[in-house]
């Protein structure tokens, strides 16, 4: 079994079982997908080619598997509290979703949120992205790392850990900052309030990072983790196409942080995207993101057409 030609896992020592798309699709519940084409359209990220067939083959069985894990976690929690003679309190099932820029992890997270909320035992599903825990641009500039936004050191990891810890402890509510992709910065007067969800999905580039200096990492608080994977060349191509789509769309807004790129020719835009990829996103992928892949519970491997071709599930 190989995760990719780069950093392949030894076939005899891997903790994962590899499942082909066809085999995985057979695990789908017999019930029809609860989502419509309009739902899919609202979830689809820029450049993603998500359709109902992909949902039925890949994400419906995944959401059901997550529901099984969540039910099992609640039972284990009840049994443990009974054993300790304590009063059982509900704690949410926390899922981490990681992967490179432009690989489609945000779409995966939004899709799982919508699917899991339709299962009877997990009606309240919240989604929080780690973008809100980036340091404000002024702080990144002060530290001299504005051009390393997205690297582990650009996040307030202590604040993220406090937030997820509070949710995991069963607190009545917890607040998270809000990030604007338009202004490319934290919105100082806005926050997200999360109140005792059944499931919390945390999506971000570096959510599977291991602890440092013997401390606690946010990944230690996850009950299930997903890594969205693809070949580097495919991700680079998706990143460039997404940049061009943004350049023709969101960047044309005068309030956009990237408005200065809206007047570039297509050739100039492609060159700019390639520069961003090679200088920032590729090093982050190779140095920080991909090394966490083997820590995931489940890996979704995408083909060049964005469709999932293989599922790798950690052996229990």
């Amino acid at each position: 079994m190989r995760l990719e030609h780069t950093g392949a896992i030894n076939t005899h020592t891997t903790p994962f079982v590899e499942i082909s798309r066809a085999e995985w699709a057979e695990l789908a519940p017999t019930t029809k997908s609860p989502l419509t084409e309009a739902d899919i359209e609202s979830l689809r990220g820029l450049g993603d080619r998500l359709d109902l067939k992909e949902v039925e083959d890949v994400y419906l069985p995944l959401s059901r598997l997550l529901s099984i894990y969540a039910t099992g976690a609640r039972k284990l929690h009840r049994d443990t509290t009974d054993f300790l003679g304590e009063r059982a309190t509900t704690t949410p099932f926390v899922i981490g979703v990681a992967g490179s820029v432009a690989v489609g992890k945000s779409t995966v997270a939004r899709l799982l949120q919508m699917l899991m909320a339709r299962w009877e035992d997990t009606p309240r599903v919240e989604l929080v992205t780690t973008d809100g825990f980036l340091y404000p641009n002024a702080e990144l500039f002060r530290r001299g790392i504005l051009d390393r936004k997205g690297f582990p050191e650009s996040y307030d990891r202590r604040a993220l850990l406090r937030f997820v810890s509070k949710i995991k402890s069963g607190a009545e509510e917890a607040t998270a900052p809000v990030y604007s992709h338009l202004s490319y910065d934290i919105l100082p007067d806005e926050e997200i309030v999360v109140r005792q969800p059944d499931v919390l999905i945390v999506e971000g580039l570096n959510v599977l990072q291991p602890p440092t200096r013997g401390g606690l990492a946010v990944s230690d608080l996850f009950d299930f983790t997903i890594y969205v994977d693809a070949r580097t060349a495919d991700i680079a191509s998706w990143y460039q196409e997404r940049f061009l789509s943004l350049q023709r769309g969101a960047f044309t807004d005068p309030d956009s942080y990237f408005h200065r790129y809206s007047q570039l020719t297509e050739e100039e835009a492609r060159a700019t995207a390639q520069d961003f990829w090679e200088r920032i996103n590729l090093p982050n992928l190779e140095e920080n993101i991909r090394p966490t892949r083997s820590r995931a519970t489940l890996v979704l491997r995408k083909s060049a057409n964005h469709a999932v071709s293989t599922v790798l599930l950690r052996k229990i």
Side-chain angles (χ1 to χ4, degrees):
M1 180 194 311
R2 298 170 68 88
L3 288 186
E4 186 180 349
H5 66 282
T6 302
I9 292 178
N10 186 292
T11 57
H12 300 294
T13 61
T14 175
F16 293 94
V17 58
E18 181 172 355
I19 308 170
S20 70
R21 180 188 174 110
E23 293 170 327
W24 182 257
E26 292 178 358
L27 302 175
T30 55
T31 54
K32 186 178 179 181
S33 171
L35 305 187
T36 66
E37 190 59 53
D39 292 328
I40 302 302
E41 181 63 30
S42 70
L43 291 168
R44 190 181 293 121
L46 200 60
D48 282 345
R49 296 177 177 85
L50 186 67
D51 56 26
L52 282 174
K53 178 66 173 173
E54 186 81 356
V55 171
E56 292 172 356
D57 284 357
V58 178
Y59 297 102
L60 198 56
L62 175 55
S63 74
R64 190 56 196 162
L65 177 66
L66 289 168
S67 181
I68 292 170
Y69 268 74
T71 299
R74 284 196 297 273
K75 182 180 184 304
L76 178 60
H77 176 72
R78 288 195 301 269
D79 291 346
T80 302
T81 53
D82 287 346
F83 173 75
L84 295 173
E86 299 175 348
R87 186 176 65 180
T89 55
T90 302
T91 58
F93 186 77
V94 182
I95 301 168
V97 180
S100 170
V101 166
V103 79
K105 64 185 179 303
S106 297
T107 298
V108 170
R110 291 194 299 269
L111 177 54
L112 290 176
Q113 179 189 23
M114 185 174 284
L115 284 171
M116 292 194 73
R118 282 162 167 74
W119 295 114
E120 291 183 2
D121 50 356
T122 56
R124 294 175 299 165
V125 183
E126 296 285 353
L127 169 62
V128 172
T129 72
T130 59
D131 290 345
F133 294 92
L134 285 161
Y135 286 115
N137 286 352
E139 178 62 17
L140 293 174
F141 180 79
R142 188 187 70 81
R143 297 185 181 207
I145 57 172
L146 185 58
D147 61 347
R148 289 178 66 83
K149 182 178 278 194
F151 282 70
E153 64 268 26
S154 67
Y155 293 90
D156 187 343
R157 285 174 281 186
R158 290 183 179 179
L160 175 60
L161 181 60
R162 287 195 299 269
F163 169 77
V164 179
S165 295
K166 195 171 184 180
I167 294 291
K168 191 65 177 171
S169 71
E172 291 189 5
E173 69 175 40
T175 59
V178 176
Y179 183 81
S180 168
H181 288 277
L182 182 67
S183 65
Y184 194 60
D185 205 353
I186 300 296
L187 298 177
D189 300 321
E190 294 191 28
E191 62 182 15
I192 297 170
V193 181
V194 178
R195 297 182 175 89
Q196 295 185 312
D198 298 304
V199 176
L200 173 67
I201 301 173
V202 182
E203 176 261 309
L205 297 171
N206 296 293
V207 295
L208 297 186
Q209 286 285 318
T212 58
R213 301 175 184 175
L216 186 70
V218 69
S219 59
D220 293 324
L221 303 176
F222 295 150
D223 297 289
F224 195 100
T225 52
I226 299 167
Y227 185 93
V228 186
D229 194 27
R231 291 185 179 275
T232 303
D234 292 334
I235 304 175
S237 175
W238 301 339
Y239 176 80
Q240 186 175 100
E241 292 307 315
R242 189 179 74 169
F243 184 89
L244 265 66
S245 295
L246 288 168
Q247 190 234 357
R248 295 187 294 264
F251 292 175
T252 61
D253 187 328
D255 293 328
S256 171
Y257 179 87
F258 296 102
H259 181 64
R260 60 190 180 279
Y261 297 117
S262 65
Q263 301 303 313
L264 297 178
T265 65
E266 180 174 336
E267 182 179 359
E268 291 170 336
R270 288 188 181 277
T272 300
Q274 183 174 352
D275 173 64
F276 285 162
W277 173 258
E278 294 180 351
R279 185 167 49 87
I280 301 172
N281 296 296
L282 178 58
N284 197 19
L285 172 61
E286 293 180 337
E287 297 168 14
N288 303 301
I289 302 170
R290 181 168 291 137
T292 69
R293 177 181 57 187
S294 61
R295 306 186 76 241
T297 312
L298 181 139
V299 178
L300 296 173
R301 292 186 60 196
K302 286 188 169 186
S303 299
N305 64 354
H306 262 289
V308 172
S309 60
T310 309
V311 176
L312 298 153
L313 179 62
R314 183 176 292 276
K315 300 171 185 175
I316 296 177

